[in-house]
Amino acid sequence: MNKSILLVDDNSDDVFLTMRALKKNNIANDVVVANDGVEAIEYLFGTGKYAGRDLKQMPVVTLLDLKMPRMDGLEVLKLVRVNEITKLLPVVVLTASREDSDILKSYKMGCNAYVRKPVEFEQFAEAIRRLGLFWLLLNEPPNLARG
Protein backbone atom coordinates (compact mmCIF):
# COMPACT_ATOMS: atom_id res chain seq x y z
CA MET A 1 0.00 0.00 0.00
CA ASN A 2 1.25 3.47 -0.87
CA LYS A 3 2.16 5.47 2.24
CA SER A 4 2.92 8.83 0.65
CA ILE A 5 1.88 12.18 2.06
CA LEU A 6 0.50 14.97 -0.11
CA LEU A 7 1.58 18.34 1.29
CA VAL A 8 -0.33 21.26 -0.21
CA ASP A 9 1.18 24.61 0.75
CA ASP A 10 2.24 27.70 -1.21
CA ASN A 11 4.63 28.97 1.48
CA SER A 12 8.13 27.60 0.80
CA ASP A 13 9.18 28.29 4.41
CA ASP A 14 6.27 26.23 5.75
CA VAL A 15 7.07 23.43 3.28
CA PHE A 16 10.70 23.48 4.43
CA LEU A 17 9.67 23.41 8.10
CA THR A 18 7.20 20.58 7.52
CA MET A 19 9.81 18.52 5.66
CA ARG A 20 12.36 19.24 8.40
CA ALA A 21 9.86 18.26 11.12
CA LEU A 22 9.02 15.02 9.29
CA LYS A 23 12.72 14.17 9.01
CA LYS A 24 13.41 15.15 12.65
CA ASN A 25 10.68 12.73 13.73
CA ASN A 26 11.95 9.90 11.49
CA ILE A 27 8.87 9.98 9.29
CA ALA A 28 10.41 8.66 6.09
CA ASN A 29 7.28 8.50 3.93
CA ASP A 30 7.52 9.93 0.44
CA VAL A 31 6.15 13.47 0.39
CA VAL A 32 4.61 14.96 -2.74
CA VAL A 33 4.55 18.75 -2.52
CA ALA A 34 1.87 20.70 -4.37
CA ASN A 35 2.53 24.44 -4.31
CA ASP A 36 -1.12 25.43 -4.62
CA GLY A 37 -4.60 23.98 -4.91
CA VAL A 38 -4.50 23.62 -8.70
CA GLU A 39 -1.35 21.50 -8.50
CA ALA A 40 -2.93 19.39 -5.74
CA ILE A 41 -5.99 18.68 -7.89
CA GLU A 42 -3.76 17.84 -10.87
CA TYR A 43 -1.87 15.35 -8.71
CA LEU A 44 -4.96 13.74 -7.19
CA PHE A 45 -6.77 13.37 -10.52
CA GLY A 46 -3.75 12.62 -12.73
CA THR A 47 -3.99 15.69 -14.98
CA GLY A 48 -1.59 18.46 -16.04
CA LYS A 49 2.00 17.64 -15.15
CA TYR A 50 0.74 14.50 -13.38
CA ALA A 51 -1.07 13.11 -16.44
CA GLY A 52 -0.72 9.34 -16.51
CA ARG A 53 -0.09 9.01 -12.77
CA ASP A 54 -1.42 5.75 -11.30
CA LEU A 55 -4.62 6.86 -9.57
CA LYS A 56 -4.65 3.68 -7.50
CA GLN A 57 -1.69 5.17 -5.60
CA MET A 58 -3.36 7.81 -3.45
CA PRO A 59 -1.65 9.50 -0.51
CA VAL A 60 -2.34 8.03 2.91
CA VAL A 61 -3.04 11.58 4.11
CA THR A 62 -3.21 15.05 2.59
CA LEU A 63 -1.95 18.01 4.63
CA LEU A 64 -3.81 20.99 3.21
CA ASP A 65 -3.19 24.69 3.76
CA LEU A 66 -6.19 26.99 3.34
CA LYS A 67 -4.85 30.34 2.16
CA MET A 68 -3.31 29.80 -1.30
CA PRO A 69 -3.37 31.51 -4.69
CA ARG A 70 -5.17 30.13 -7.77
CA MET A 71 -7.28 27.70 -5.71
CA ASP A 72 -7.56 27.81 -1.93
CA GLY A 73 -7.75 24.83 0.40
CA LEU A 74 -11.52 24.94 0.80
CA GLU A 75 -11.96 24.70 -2.97
CA VAL A 76 -9.58 21.72 -3.03
CA LEU A 77 -11.47 20.06 -0.20
CA LYS A 78 -14.78 20.56 -2.01
CA LEU A 79 -13.45 18.95 -5.20
CA VAL A 80 -11.89 16.08 -3.25
CA ARG A 81 -15.13 15.30 -1.41
CA VAL A 82 -17.41 15.34 -4.46
CA ASN A 83 -15.23 13.00 -6.54
CA GLU A 84 -15.77 9.26 -6.24
CA ILE A 85 -12.02 8.54 -6.47
CA THR A 86 -11.02 10.84 -3.61
CA LYS A 87 -14.09 11.34 -1.44
CA LEU A 88 -12.75 9.11 1.36
CA LEU A 89 -9.18 10.43 1.23
CA PRO A 90 -8.00 11.55 4.69
CA VAL A 91 -7.49 15.34 4.62
CA VAL A 92 -5.96 17.30 7.48
CA VAL A 93 -6.19 21.06 7.23
CA LEU A 94 -2.78 22.31 8.39
CA THR A 95 -2.92 26.08 8.40
CA ALA A 96 -1.98 29.25 10.24
CA SER A 97 -5.59 30.44 10.14
CA ARG A 98 -7.17 30.92 13.54
CA GLU A 99 -10.50 32.09 12.14
CA ASP A 100 -13.49 30.24 13.58
CA SER A 101 -15.21 30.52 10.19
CA ASP A 102 -12.32 28.62 8.53
CA ILE A 103 -12.53 25.85 11.11
CA LEU A 104 -16.30 25.54 10.70
CA LYS A 105 -16.15 25.63 6.88
CA SER A 106 -13.36 23.05 6.81
CA TYR A 107 -15.34 20.57 8.90
CA LYS A 108 -18.57 21.26 7.00
CA MET A 109 -16.72 20.50 3.77
CA GLY A 110 -15.41 17.21 5.13
CA CYS A 111 -11.91 17.64 6.53
CA ASN A 112 -10.85 14.88 8.91
CA ALA A 113 -8.92 17.21 11.24
CA TYR A 114 -7.97 20.87 11.59
CA VAL A 115 -4.52 21.71 12.97
CA ARG A 116 -3.16 25.20 13.47
CA LYS A 117 0.52 25.58 12.59
CA PRO A 118 2.41 26.52 15.74
CA VAL A 119 4.80 29.47 15.39
CA GLU A 120 7.75 27.92 17.28
CA PHE A 121 9.62 25.19 15.38
CA GLU A 122 9.78 22.76 18.34
CA GLN A 123 6.00 23.01 18.79
CA PHE A 124 5.54 22.64 15.03
CA ALA A 125 7.81 19.57 14.98
CA GLU A 126 5.81 18.05 17.84
CA ALA A 127 2.53 18.71 16.01
CA ILE A 128 3.95 17.00 12.90
CA ARG A 129 5.18 14.07 15.03
CA ARG A 130 1.71 13.59 16.47
CA LEU A 131 0.08 13.91 13.04
CA GLY A 132 2.50 11.34 11.65
CA LEU A 133 1.98 8.97 14.55
CA PHE A 134 -1.79 9.05 14.18
CA TRP A 135 -2.30 9.29 10.40
CA LEU A 136 0.59 7.05 9.33
CA LEU A 137 0.72 4.44 12.10
CA LEU A 138 -2.56 4.31 14.03
CA ASN A 139 -5.23 5.30 11.53
CA GLU A 140 -6.61 2.64 9.20
CA PRO A 141 -7.33 4.45 5.92
CA PRO A 142 -9.83 3.09 3.42
CA ASN A 143 -8.40 1.12 0.50
CA LEU A 144 -9.35 3.59 -2.22
CA ALA A 145 -8.11 1.26 -4.96
CA ARG A 146 -10.86 -1.22 -4.05
CA GLY A 147 -13.51 1.48 -3.90
Side-chain angles (χ1 to χ4, degrees):
M1 180 183 194
N2 182 26
K3 291 278 192 174
S4 68
I5 299 167
L6 176 59
L7 174 60
V8 187
D9 200 321
D10 67 312
N11 184 316
S12 60
D13 291 338
D14 285 350
V15 169
F16 174 79
L17 289 175
T18 303
M19 299 296 279
R20 185 172 157 209
L22 289 167
K23 185 176 180 179
K24 178 183 191 287
N25 289 296
N26 299 312
I27 299 170
N29 300 62
D30 289 335
V31 179
V32 175
V33 176
N35 295 302
D36 61 38
V38 172
E39 192 175 329
I41 292 301
E42 287 177 351
Y43 176 78
L44 290 170
F45 300 120
T47 61
K49 74 179 189 179
Y50 297 102
R53 187 183 82 73
D54 182 0
L55 296 182
K56 291 183 180 133
Q57 297 296 316
M58 286 292 174
V60 68
V61 65
T62 296
L63 303 178
L64 180 64
D65 190 22
L66 289 183
K67 310 295 184 186
M68 296 181 291
R70 296 204 305 162
M71 180 185 292
D72 71 23
L74 291 174
E75 292 173 282
V76 172
L77 189 55
K78 180 180 180 180
L79 291 172
V80 164
R81 290 299 180 240
V82 299
N83 190 288
E84 200 59 36
I85 296 170
T86 57
K87 71 180 181 180
L88 298 177
L89 185 72
V91 176
V92 175
V93 172
L94 180 62
T95 186
S97 174
R98 296 186 174 276
E99 296 175 33
D100 287 340
S101 61
D102 284 339
I103 297 169
L104 189 57
K105 286 178 198 169
S106 295
Y107 278 109
K108 280 185 174 182
M109 297 184 86
C111 79
N112 297 92
Y114 190 103
V115 178
R116 291 182 182 132
K117 295 177 188 174
V119 176
E120 299 291 325
F121 177 72
E122 289 305 318
Q123 293 173 330
F124 186 74
E126 178 61 15
I128 295 297
R129 184 189 73 76
R130 290 179 183 194
L131 282 171
L133 179 65
F134 181 79
W135 290 103
L136 303 172
L137 297 176
L138 299 175
N139 186 55
E140 289 289 335
N143 185 339
L144 299 175
R146 275 194 249 141

